[in-house]
Amino acid sequence: MEQELQLIAQRLNKALYRRGEETIKLFDDCIAAPDVLSEALNQARAQQTGLPVPRLHEVTKCGGKWAIISDFIEGENMWTLMQAARPADALMERFVELQMRVHGTTFRQFTDMRAKYQRKISASGLDATTRYELHNRLDAMPRHDKICHGDFVPSNIILRDGAPFIIDWAHVTQGNAAADAANTWLAFMKIGETELAERYIKYYCEKSDTARQYVQKWTPIVAASKLAKCAEADRAFYVLHSEV
């Protein structure tokens, strides 16, 4: 008999289910096949790096909708743990160390971050003067080829018996680690977690020996890139942080 689906989480344009030892990410009809296949390919490639990534099983159709099926990771969500353990310094340090582990890895087959951000800024809907300034700033930033998760937030880290697993590789690129840090800082700020945002950037800059000003130079670039495809409720936040 087919195993019952258990809803884990409902997110924008997708839902996560558990089926036995599998996780099924079921996409809404508005998500095109190339986007689903690209995400699955990113996850498969992330596995090849040796980073702790759930094993991909297959890409298929469930009830007429696209689905990605992977290992189910039984464990604790780091975001839930952070909320319960404020000020969560030990967890934040571990979170930053894991992100730096990702940044310490390279894999040349991921999308180039710079090219992706150029496209996204062009499609941001910002005025021409702001786009010009952002394109110029991006052109002037140092070129790196580090793995950047693109959505490195505590809710995408699962701890199983203390060992971390990183999920949701849809936005991974190769590029500058400081841009990925700016993205994580923005994610905390967007949900009103200013204290955690400050703790995060403090630990990240200390542990990676990165100037905070350098991360901040990336913030408008990253924020503008979000405008090409974000919820309407988030648009004002990203516009504000796109100011150069």
Side-chain angles (χ1 to χ4, degrees):
M1 182 166 58
E2 189 171 339
Q3 291 174 300
E4 183 178 349
L5 295 181
Q6 174 188 349
L7 181 65
I8 301 171
Q10 185 77 49
R11 299 177 181 171
L12 181 65
N13 299 326
K14 60 195 168 193
L16 297 174
Y17 295 91
R18 178 179 182 179
R19 184 178 65 187
E21 298 305 310
E22 297 176 330
T23 296
I24 300 177
K25 181 182 283 190
L26 191 64
F27 295 86
D28 290 350
D29 292 332
C30 62
I31 305 300
D35 293 331
V36 177
L37 296 171
S38 176
E39 179 174 340
L41 181 59
N42 283 342
Q43 184 174 336
R45 285 173 168 168
Q47 285 177 234
Q48 291 183 277
T49 67
L51 291 169
V53 180
R55 183 169 55 93
L56 176 68
H57 291 202
E58 63 176 313
V59 181
T60 187
K61 284 285 192 79
C62 293
K65 297 182 178 180
W66 284 105
I68 296 175
I69 302 177
S70 310
D71 280 346
F72 176 77
I73 307 300
E74 184 85 59
E76 299 175 291
N77 184 288
M78 188 175 274
W79 177 234
T80 302
L81 294 174
M82 276 190 184
Q83 289 178 304
R86 291 175 184 271
D89 288 305
L91 281 167
M92 186 62 77
E93 284 194 74
R94 189 172 184 194
F95 175 73
V96 168
E97 287 166 358
L98 183 59
Q99 187 175 33
M100 289 176 60
R101 179 180 169 187
V102 175
H103 294 165
T105 310
T106 58
F107 191 79
R108 298 299 179 85
Q109 295 183 52
F110 286 131
T111 297
D112 177 70
M113 173 192 284
R114 184 178 299 271
K116 179 178 180 178
Y117 281 173
Q118 292 287 15
R119 292 194 303 271
K120 295 288 189 178
I121 290 168
S122 295
S124 65
L126 294 167
D127 63 87
T129 299
T130 302
R131 296 197 313 272
Y132 178 82
E133 294 292 340
L134 288 167
H135 282 304
N136 282 346
R137 176 176 291 203
L138 178 56
D139 283 339
M141 298 302 272
R143 298 174 183 270
H144 296 166
D145 60 358
K146 298 175 181 180
I147 293 180
C148 297
H149 181 273
D151 193 19
F152 199 88
V153 292
S155 57
N156 280 332
I157 312 299
I158 307 297
L159 299 177
R160 184 174 68 187
D161 298 326
F165 284 82
I166 308 168
I167 63 173
D168 197 355
W169 290 84
H171 307 290
V172 62
T173 58
Q174 56 171 321
N176 194 304
D180 206 40
N183 186 80
T184 299
W185 180 83
L186 280 167
F188 281 121
M189 292 294 290
K190 185 169 71 69
I191 59 174
E193 291 286 356
T194 54
E195 182 183 346
L196 285 179
E198 182 60 31
R199 288 179 185 276
Y200 164 75
I201 202 66
K202 174 180 178 292
Y203 281 127
Y204 180 83
C205 290
E206 287 177 356
K207 289 181 176 294
S208 65
D209 194 28
T210 302
R212 180 168 183 158
Q213 298 93 319
Y214 182 53
V215 177
Q216 289 173 330
K217 284 190 73 173
W218 278 100
T219 301
I221 296 169
V222 176
S225 76
K226 302 286 187 183
L227 287 167
K229 188 187 263 187
C230 73
E232 190 58 36
D234 296 331
R235 186 166 182 84
F237 172 85
Y238 289 126
V239 168
L240 175 65
H241 286 88
S242 297
E243 295 178 1
V244 180

mmCIF file of all heavy atoms in Angstrom, residues 62-101:
data_model
loop_
_atom_site.group_PDB
_atom_site.id
_atom_site.type_symbol
_atom_site.label_atom_id
_atom_site.label_comp_id
_atom_site.label_asym_id
_atom_site.label_seq_id
_atom_site.Cartn_x
_atom_site.Cartn_y
_atom_site.Cartn_z
ATOM 1 N N CYS A 62 3.770 14.235 -9.625
ATOM 2 C CA CYS A 62 2.849 13.718 -8.616
ATOM 3 C C CYS A 62 1.529 14.470 -8.758
ATOM 4 O O CYS A 62 1.492 15.684 -8.565
ATOM 5 C CB CYS A 62 3.403 13.910 -7.207
ATOM 6 S SG CYS A 62 4.863 12.939 -6.814
ATOM 7 N N GLY A 63 0.496 13.763 -9.110
ATOM 8 C CA GLY A 63 -0.788 14.423 -9.300
ATOM 9 C C GLY A 63 -0.752 15.493 -10.364
ATOM 10 O O GLY A 63 -1.450 16.508 -10.274
ATOM 11 N N GLY A 64 0.096 15.297 -11.370
ATOM 12 C CA GLY A 64 0.200 16.253 -12.458
ATOM 13 C C GLY A 64 1.121 17.420 -12.188
ATOM 14 O O GLY A 64 1.310 18.278 -13.059
ATOM 15 N N LYS A 65 1.741 17.453 -10.994
ATOM 16 C CA LYS A 65 2.651 18.543 -10.646
ATOM 17 C C LYS A 65 4.075 18.019 -10.542
ATOM 18 O O LYS A 65 4.304 16.877 -10.166
ATOM 19 C CB LYS A 65 2.245 19.172 -9.306
ATOM 20 C CG LYS A 65 0.873 19.830 -9.323
ATOM 21 C CD LYS A 65 0.565 20.462 -7.974
ATOM 22 C CE LYS A 65 -0.789 21.168 -7.996
ATOM 23 N NZ LYS A 65 -1.094 21.797 -6.689
ATOM 24 N N TRP A 66 5.041 18.884 -10.860
ATOM 25 C CA TRP A 66 6.437 18.499 -10.753
ATOM 26 C C TRP A 66 6.830 18.302 -9.299
ATOM 27 O O TRP A 66 6.372 19.027 -8.410
ATOM 28 C CB TRP A 66 7.344 19.556 -11.383
ATOM 29 C CG TRP A 66 7.353 19.528 -12.877
ATOM 30 C CD1 TRP A 66 6.750 20.396 -13.724
ATOM 31 C CD2 TRP A 66 8.008 18.550 -13.704
ATOM 32 N NE1 TRP A 66 6.977 20.045 -15.028
ATOM 33 C CE2 TRP A 66 7.760 18.913 -15.041
ATOM 34 C CE3 TRP A 66 8.783 17.418 -13.448
ATOM 35 C CZ2 TRP A 66 8.239 18.183 -16.127
ATOM 36 C CZ3 TRP A 66 9.276 16.691 -14.512
ATOM 37 C CH2 TRP A 66 9.005 17.068 -15.827
ATOM 38 N N ALA A 67 7.703 17.335 -9.059
ATOM 39 C CA ALA A 67 8.151 17.040 -7.701
ATOM 40 C C ALA A 67 9.611 16.605 -7.721
ATOM 41 O O ALA A 67 10.060 15.932 -8.647
ATOM 42 C CB ALA A 67 7.295 15.942 -7.072
ATOM 43 N N ILE A 68 10.347 17.016 -6.688
ATOM 44 C CA ILE A 68 11.708 16.548 -6.450
ATOM 45 C C ILE A 68 11.673 15.674 -5.198
ATOM 46 O O ILE A 68 11.185 16.108 -4.146
ATOM 47 C CB ILE A 68 12.683 17.723 -6.246
ATOM 48 C CG1 ILE A 68 12.785 18.567 -7.523
ATOM 49 C CG2 ILE A 68 14.065 17.219 -5.842
ATOM 50 C CD1 ILE A 68 13.636 19.811 -7.364
ATOM 51 N N ILE A 69 12.182 14.467 -5.317
ATOM 52 C CA ILE A 69 12.158 13.514 -4.201
ATOM 53 C C ILE A 69 13.585 13.286 -3.715
ATOM 54 O O ILE A 69 14.476 12.964 -4.502
ATOM 55 C CB ILE A 69 11.501 12.187 -4.620
ATOM 56 C CG1 ILE A 69 10.071 12.443 -5.130
ATOM 57 C CG2 ILE A 69 11.482 11.203 -3.452
ATOM 58 C CD1 ILE A 69 9.354 11.209 -5.626
ATOM 59 N N SER A 70 13.783 13.474 -2.406
ATOM 60 C CA SER A 70 15.106 13.350 -1.790
ATOM 61 C C SER A 70 14.995 12.564 -0.490
ATOM 62 O O SER A 70 13.887 12.239 -0.032
ATOM 63 C CB SER A 70 15.686 14.739 -1.466
ATOM 64 O OG SER A 70 15.610 15.609 -2.565
ATOM 65 N N ASP A 71 16.154 12.296 0.127
ATOM 66 C CA ASP A 71 16.155 11.693 1.454
ATOM 67 C C ASP A 71 15.422 12.604 2.433
ATOM 68 O O ASP A 71 15.567 13.828 2.387
ATOM 69 C CB ASP A 71 17.589 11.521 1.978
ATOM 70 C CG ASP A 71 18.279 10.297 1.417
ATOM 71 O OD1 ASP A 71 17.593 9.430 0.836
ATOM 72 O OD2 ASP A 71 19.514 10.203 1.568
ATOM 73 N N PHE A 72 14.654 11.999 3.341
ATOM 74 C CA PHE A 72 14.095 12.750 4.454
ATOM 75 C C PHE A 72 15.120 12.761 5.577
ATOM 76 O O PHE A 72 15.636 11.710 5.967
ATOM 77 C CB PHE A 72 12.790 12.130 4.958
ATOM 78 C CG PHE A 72 12.238 12.823 6.179
ATOM 79 C CD1 PHE A 72 11.583 14.034 6.058
ATOM 80 C CD2 PHE A 72 12.397 12.267 7.448
ATOM 81 C CE1 PHE A 72 11.092 14.694 7.177
ATOM 82 C CE2 PHE A 72 11.902 12.917 8.569
ATOM 83 C CZ PHE A 72 11.241 14.126 8.439
ATOM 84 N N ILE A 73 15.440 13.949 6.074
ATOM 85 C CA ILE A 73 16.401 14.076 7.156
ATOM 86 C C ILE A 73 15.633 14.267 8.464
ATOM 87 O O ILE A 73 15.020 15.318 8.690
ATOM 88 C CB ILE A 73 17.370 15.255 6.928
ATOM 89 C CG1 ILE A 73 18.041 15.147 5.551
ATOM 90 C CG2 ILE A 73 18.402 15.314 8.048
ATOM 91 C CD1 ILE A 73 18.855 13.888 5.354
ATOM 92 N N GLU A 74 15.651 13.250 9.296
ATOM 93 C CA GLU A 74 14.992 13.307 10.602
ATOM 94 C C GLU A 74 15.884 14.093 11.544
ATOM 95 O O GLU A 74 17.036 13.728 11.779
ATOM 96 C CB GLU A 74 14.800 11.894 11.152
ATOM 97 C CG GLU A 74 14.050 11.825 12.465
ATOM 98 C CD GLU A 74 12.543 11.823 12.291
ATOM 99 O OE1 GLU A 74 12.021 10.909 11.621
ATOM 100 O OE2 GLU A 74 11.900 12.748 12.814
ATOM 101 N N GLY A 75 15.407 15.220 12.049
ATOM 102 C CA GLY A 75 16.253 16.009 12.929
ATOM 103 C C GLY A 75 15.587 17.302 13.361
ATOM 104 O O GLY A 75 14.374 17.472 13.245
ATOM 105 N N GLU A 76 16.404 18.212 13.856
ATOM 106 C CA GLU A 76 15.923 19.482 14.377
ATOM 107 C C GLU A 76 16.305 20.623 13.445
ATOM 108 O O GLU A 76 17.443 20.703 12.991
ATOM 109 C CB GLU A 76 16.535 19.735 15.764
ATOM 110 C CG GLU A 76 16.164 18.687 16.789
ATOM 111 C CD GLU A 76 16.878 18.913 18.117
ATOM 112 O OE1 GLU A 76 18.124 18.718 18.155
ATOM 113 O OE2 GLU A 76 16.209 19.280 19.096
ATOM 114 N N ASN A 77 15.346 21.486 13.178
ATOM 115 C CA ASN A 77 15.578 22.640 12.332
ATOM 116 C C ASN A 77 16.357 23.687 13.125
ATOM 117 O O ASN A 77 15.982 24.030 14.251
ATOM 118 C CB ASN A 77 14.221 23.193 11.886
ATOM 119 C CG ASN A 77 14.335 24.331 10.928
ATOM 120 O OD1 ASN A 77 14.718 25.434 11.315
ATOM 121 N ND2 ASN A 77 13.990 24.086 9.678
ATOM 122 N N MET A 78 17.451 24.206 12.563
ATOM 123 C CA MET A 78 18.293 25.147 13.304
ATOM 124 C C MET A 78 17.547 26.433 13.641
ATOM 125 O O MET A 78 17.809 27.053 14.679
ATOM 126 C CB MET A 78 19.563 25.457 12.525
ATOM 127 C CG MET A 78 20.567 26.268 13.327
ATOM 128 S SD MET A 78 22.163 26.538 12.508
ATOM 129 C CE MET A 78 23.043 25.054 12.985
ATOM 130 N N TRP A 79 16.610 26.850 12.812
ATOM 131 C CA TRP A 79 15.845 28.061 13.103
ATOM 132 C C TRP A 79 14.991 27.878 14.352
ATOM 133 O O TRP A 79 14.930 28.765 15.214
ATOM 134 C CB TRP A 79 14.978 28.441 11.914
ATOM 135 C CG TRP A 79 14.091 29.633 12.145
ATOM 136 C CD1 TRP A 79 12.748 29.695 11.978
ATOM 137 C CD2 TRP A 79 14.498 30.948 12.563
ATOM 138 N NE1 TRP A 79 12.276 30.947 12.264
ATOM 139 C CE2 TRP A 79 13.336 31.738 12.631
ATOM 140 C CE3 TRP A 79 15.721 31.509 12.896
ATOM 141 C CZ2 TRP A 79 13.355 33.072 13.010
ATOM 142 C CZ3 TRP A 79 15.749 32.853 13.291
ATOM 143 C CH2 TRP A 79 14.577 33.619 13.336
ATOM 144 N N THR A 80 14.356 26.715 14.491
ATOM 145 C CA THR A 80 13.563 26.426 15.681
ATOM 146 C C THR A 80 14.443 26.448 16.927
ATOM 147 O O THR A 80 14.063 26.983 17.979
ATOM 148 C CB THR A 80 12.877 25.057 15.549
ATOM 149 O OG1 THR A 80 12.049 25.062 14.382
ATOM 150 C CG2 THR A 80 12.008 24.753 16.761
ATOM 151 N N LEU A 81 15.636 25.863 16.818
ATOM 152 C CA LEU A 81 16.567 25.847 17.943
ATOM 153 C C LEU A 81 17.038 27.255 18.304
ATOM 154 O O LEU A 81 17.145 27.595 19.489
ATOM 155 C CB LEU A 81 17.773 24.968 17.609
ATOM 156 C CG LEU A 81 17.489 23.471 17.431
ATOM 157 C CD1 LEU A 81 18.745 22.756 16.955
ATOM 158 C CD2 LEU A 81 16.985 22.858 18.731
ATOM 159 N N MET A 82 17.302 28.092 17.310
ATOM 160 C CA MET A 82 17.727 29.468 17.578
ATOM 161 C C MET A 82 16.650 30.255 18.309
ATOM 162 O O MET A 82 16.933 31.029 19.225
ATOM 163 C CB MET A 82 18.075 30.179 16.268
ATOM 164 C CG MET A 82 19.476 29.936 15.766
ATOM 165 S SD MET A 82 19.864 31.041 14.382
ATOM 166 C CE MET A 82 21.503 30.430 13.959
ATOM 167 N N GLN A 83 15.408 30.068 17.894
ATOM 168 C CA GLN A 83 14.325 30.797 18.531
ATOM 169 C C GLN A 83 14.144 30.399 19.994
ATOM 170 O O GLN A 83 13.744 31.214 20.826
ATOM 171 C CB GLN A 83 13.013 30.564 17.767
ATOM 172 C CG GLN A 83 12.983 31.244 16.410
ATOM 173 C CD GLN A 83 11.702 30.965 15.670
ATOM 174 O OE1 GLN A 83 11.328 29.818 15.438
ATOM 175 N NE2 GLN A 83 11.005 32.026 15.303
ATOM 176 N N ALA A 84 14.451 29.145 20.293
ATOM 177 C CA ALA A 84 14.272 28.636 21.659
ATOM 178 C C ALA A 84 15.469 28.918 22.554
ATOM 179 O O ALA A 84 15.374 28.760 23.777
ATOM 180 C CB ALA A 84 14.010 27.128 21.616
ATOM 181 N N ALA A 85 16.598 29.317 21.983
ATOM 182 C CA ALA A 85 17.843 29.431 22.753
ATOM 183 C C ALA A 85 18.444 30.829 22.681
ATOM 184 O O ALA A 85 19.651 30.981 22.725
ATOM 185 C CB ALA A 85 18.851 28.405 22.242
ATOM 186 N N ARG A 86 17.610 31.846 22.533
ATOM 187 C CA ARG A 86 18.151 33.199 22.431
ATOM 188 C C ARG A 86 18.974 33.543 23.655
ATOM 189 O O ARG A 86 18.562 33.209 24.759
ATOM 190 C CB ARG A 86 17.015 34.203 22.230
ATOM 191 C CG ARG A 86 16.351 34.064 20.871
ATOM 192 C CD ARG A 86 15.145 34.988 20.771
ATOM 193 N NE ARG A 86 14.452 34.795 19.526
ATOM 194 C CZ ARG A 86 14.742 35.465 18.395
ATOM 195 N NH1 ARG A 86 15.681 36.360 18.379
ATOM 196 N NH2 ARG A 86 14.070 35.243 17.292
ATOM 197 N N PRO A 87 20.134 34.224 23.508
ATOM 198 C CA PRO A 87 20.610 34.873 22.281
ATOM 199 C C PRO A 87 21.254 33.946 21.253
ATOM 200 O O PRO A 87 21.723 34.410 20.221
ATOM 201 C CB PRO A 87 21.638 35.878 22.811
ATOM 202 C CG PRO A 87 22.173 35.248 24.041
ATOM 203 C CD PRO A 87 21.008 34.513 24.653
ATOM 204 N N ALA A 88 21.311 32.660 21.515
ATOM 205 C CA ALA A 88 21.708 31.664 20.510
ATOM 206 C C ALA A 88 23.112 31.866 19.962
ATOM 207 O O ALA A 88 23.372 31.588 18.798
ATOM 208 C CB ALA A 88 20.685 31.647 19.360
ATOM 209 N N ASP A 89 24.025 32.329 20.801
ATOM 210 C CA ASP A 89 25.383 32.593 20.321
ATOM 211 C C ASP A 89 26.075 31.341 19.800
ATOM 212 O O ASP A 89 26.713 31.367 18.747
ATOM 213 C CB ASP A 89 26.224 33.220 21.434
ATOM 214 C CG ASP A 89 25.811 34.652 21.719
ATOM 215 O OD1 ASP A 89 25.801 35.461 20.777
ATOM 216 O OD2 ASP A 89 25.482 34.957 22.871
ATOM 217 N N ALA A 90 25.966 30.234 20.557
ATOM 218 C CA ALA A 90 26.645 29.004 20.143
ATOM 219 C C ALA A 90 26.087 28.501 18.815
ATOM 220 O O ALA A 90 26.841 28.066 17.925
ATOM 221 C CB ALA A 90 26.501 27.937 21.221
ATOM 222 N N LEU A 91 24.770 28.572 18.653
ATOM 223 C CA LEU A 91 24.155 28.142 17.402
ATOM 224 C C LEU A 91 24.543 29.061 16.247
ATOM 225 O O LEU A 91 24.796 28.602 15.135
ATOM 226 C CB LEU A 91 22.631 28.102 17.545
ATOM 227 C CG LEU A 91 22.046 26.893 18.269
ATOM 228 C CD1 LEU A 91 20.579 27.147 18.613
ATOM 229 C CD2 LEU A 91 22.175 25.634 17.426
ATOM 230 N N MET A 92 24.599 30.366 16.516
ATOM 231 C CA MET A 92 24.969 31.297 15.463
ATOM 232 C C MET A 92 26.416 31.072 15.023
ATOM 233 O O MET A 92 26.727 31.119 13.826
ATOM 234 C CB MET A 92 24.769 32.738 15.925
ATOM 235 C CG MET A 92 25.005 33.770 14.823
ATOM 236 S SD MET A 92 23.851 33.602 13.416
ATOM 237 C CE MET A 92 22.366 34.349 14.116
ATOM 238 N N GLU A 93 27.292 30.807 15.974
ATOM 239 C CA GLU A 93 28.677 30.510 15.609
ATOM 240 C C GLU A 93 28.743 29.272 14.731
ATOM 241 O O GLU A 93 29.472 29.242 13.731
ATOM 242 C CB GLU A 93 29.515 30.306 16.866
ATOM 243 C CG GLU A 93 29.884 31.570 17.593
ATOM 244 C CD GLU A 93 30.969 31.339 18.612
ATOM 245 O OE1 GLU A 93 32.133 31.157 18.209
ATOM 246 O OE2 GLU A 93 30.651 31.321 19.816
ATOM 247 N N ARG A 94 27.998 28.254 15.101
ATOM 248 C CA ARG A 94 28.014 27.020 14.313
ATOM 249 C C ARG A 94 27.418 27.259 12.925
ATOM 250 O O ARG A 94 27.905 26.720 11.926
ATOM 251 C CB ARG A 94 27.224 25.933 15.042
ATOM 252 C CG ARG A 94 27.380 24.576 14.401
ATOM 253 C CD ARG A 94 26.765 23.487 15.203
ATOM 254 N NE ARG A 94 27.050 22.208 14.569
ATOM 255 C CZ ARG A 94 26.423 21.084 14.875
ATOM 256 N NH1 ARG A 94 25.507 21.066 15.821
ATOM 257 N NH2 ARG A 94 26.710 19.966 14.241
ATOM 258 N N PHE A 95 26.380 28.055 12.864
ATOM 259 C CA PHE A 95 25.747 28.409 11.594
ATOM 260 C C PHE A 95 26.753 29.093 10.667
ATOM 261 O O PHE A 95 26.883 28.737 9.490
ATOM 262 C CB PHE A 95 24.559 29.325 11.894
ATOM 263 C CG PHE A 95 23.863 29.887 10.692
ATOM 264 C CD1 PHE A 95 23.059 29.092 9.891
ATOM 265 C CD2 PHE A 95 23.978 31.239 10.375
ATOM 266 C CE1 PHE A 95 22.403 29.610 8.782
ATOM 267 C CE2 PHE A 95 23.315 31.768 9.281
ATOM 268 C CZ PHE A 95 22.526 30.949 8.488
ATOM 269 N N VAL A 96 27.493 30.054 11.207
ATOM 270 C CA VAL A 96 28.489 30.779 10.420
ATOM 271 C C VAL A 96 29.613 29.846 9.973
ATOM 272 O O VAL A 96 30.069 29.899 8.822
ATOM 273 C CB VAL A 96 29.048 31.970 11.224
ATOM 274 C CG1 VAL A 96 30.290 32.549 10.548
ATOM 275 C CG2 VAL A 96 27.983 33.050 11.374
ATOM 276 N N GLU A 97 30.056 28.983 10.868
ATOM 277 C CA GLU A 97 31.131 28.042 10.516
ATOM 278 C C GLU A 97 30.704 27.106 9.388
ATOM 279 O O GLU A 97 31.500 26.775 8.500
ATOM 280 C CB GLU A 97 31.542 27.244 11.753
ATOM 281 C CG GLU A 97 32.331 28.082 12.758
ATOM 282 C CD GLU A 97 32.451 27.414 14.122
ATOM 283 O OE1 GLU A 97 31.884 26.305 14.287
ATOM 284 O OE2 GLU A 97 33.091 28.004 15.008
ATOM 285 N N LEU A 98 29.434 26.705 9.394
ATOM 286 C CA LEU A 98 28.929 25.848 8.324
ATOM 287 C C LEU A 98 28.877 26.612 7.006
ATOM 288 O O LEU A 98 29.245 26.082 5.948
ATOM 289 C CB LEU A 98 27.536 25.317 8.690
ATOM 290 C CG LEU A 98 26.892 24.350 7.695
ATOM 291 C CD1 LEU A 98 27.750 23.101 7.487
ATOM 292 C CD2 LEU A 98 25.485 23.948 8.172
ATOM 293 N N GLN A 99 28.452 27.861 7.057
ATOM 294 C CA GLN A 99 28.432 28.674 5.836
ATOM 295 C C GLN A 99 29.847 28.861 5.292
ATOM 296 O O GLN A 99 30.069 28.784 4.075
ATOM 297 C CB GLN A 99 27.791 30.034 6.107
ATOM 298 C CG GLN A 99 27.582 30.861 4.844
ATOM 299 C CD GLN A 99 26.851 32.152 5.109
ATOM 300 O OE1 GLN A 99 26.994 32.753 6.183
ATOM 301 N NE2 GLN A 99 26.060 32.601 4.141
ATOM 302 N N MET A 100 30.812 29.069 6.175
ATOM 303 C CA MET A 100 32.193 29.212 5.733
ATOM 304 C C MET A 100 32.725 27.909 5.142
ATOM 305 O O MET A 100 33.561 27.927 4.234
ATOM 306 C CB MET A 100 33.070 29.661 6.909
ATOM 307 C CG MET A 100 32.805 31.100 7.325
ATOM 308 S SD MET A 100 33.754 31.573 8.786
ATOM 309 C CE MET A 100 35.425 31.323 8.185
ATOM 310 N N ARG A 101 32.236 26.787 5.642
ATOM 311 C CA ARG A 101 32.605 25.494 5.034
ATOM 312 C C ARG A 101 32.111 25.425 3.600
ATOM 313 O O ARG A 101 32.826 24.954 2.703
ATOM 314 C CB ARG A 101 32.020 24.350 5.862
ATOM 315 C CG ARG A 101 32.315 22.959 5.311
ATOM 316 C CD ARG A 101 31.692 21.907 6.191
ATOM 317 N NE ARG A 101 31.733 20.588 5.549
ATOM 318 C CZ ARG A 101 31.127 19.510 6.044
ATOM 319 N NH1 ARG A 101 30.444 19.579 7.181
ATOM 320 N NH2 ARG A 101 31.189 18.361 5.391
#
